[in-house]
């Protein structure tokens, strides 16, 4: 399945590219070569849903000694994850803005690493 590019309105962004599309590393359309990304709040929310559903179904399944609860929770997690990623909206971003976000990300990671090591 391909997702609609916000630049040319054609299905030119693959599923894998959509899932990894951030401001720092945007997805590229196969038709117009335009760059686009998914909002961090959207991808983060999907990640939180996935992990909380996984942890919740495992804890509930173990506490109730029920494999059915675990299996149904895992099914809910997978179906919910796929459904949410298919509904994601891509937002256009310019090449210069993506490069600036990438540099800012590297600087933030460097500061974090220095703070961890030298506290």
């Amino acid at each position: 399945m391909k997702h609609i590019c916000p630049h040319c309105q054609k299905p030119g962004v693959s599923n894998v590219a959509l899932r990894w599309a951030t401001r720092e590393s945007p997805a590229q359309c196969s038709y117009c070569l335009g760059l686009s990304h998914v909002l961090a709040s959207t991808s983060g929310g999907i990640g939180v849903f996935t992990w909380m559903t996984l942890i919740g179904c495992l804890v509930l399944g173990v506490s109730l000694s029920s494999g059915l609860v675990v299996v149904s929770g895992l099914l809910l997690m997978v179906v919910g994850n796929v459904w949410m990623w298919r509904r994601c909206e891509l937002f256009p971003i310019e090449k210069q803005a993506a490069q600036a976000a990438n540099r800012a990300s590297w600087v933030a990671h460097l500061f974090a690493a220095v703070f961890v090591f030298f506290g």
Side-chain angles (χ1 to χ4, degrees):
M1 177 182 171
K2 296 274 191 161
H3 296 272
I4 303 296
C5 172
H7 296 280
C8 66
Q9 304 303 320
K10 294 181 181 175
V13 180
S14 70
N15 278 331
V16 174
L18 174 90
R19 287 180 181 251
W20 292 101
T22 62
R23 287 185 58 84
E24 299 86 14
S25 178
Q28 189 170 29
C29 177
S30 60
Y31 291 105
C32 69
L33 303 179
L35 300 176
S36 54
H37 68 97
V38 175
L39 294 178
S41 58
T42 301
S43 61
I46 294 171
V48 167
F49 165 79
T50 302
W51 282 106
M52 293 305 292
T53 306
L54 175 66
I55 292 168
C57 77
L58 290 176
V59 168
L60 192 60
V62 168
S63 66
L64 296 175
S65 298
S66 172
L68 183 61
V69 171
V70 173
V71 171
S72 62
L74 291 174
L75 182 64
L76 172 69
M77 178 193 72
V78 169
V79 169
N81 186 292
V82 169
W83 178 75
M84 284 187 265
W85 276 113
R86 286 189 179 186
R87 291 186 43 127
C88 276
E89 183 178 357
L90 285 166
F91 291 89
I93 187 169
E94 296 300 320
K95 186 176 182 177
Q96 294 81 10
Q99 289 171 340
N102 193 1
R103 284 191 296 271
S105 174
W106 277 105
V107 170
H109 285 100
L110 180 65
F111 278 136
V114 167
F115 185 74
V116 165
F117 288 118
F118 301 111

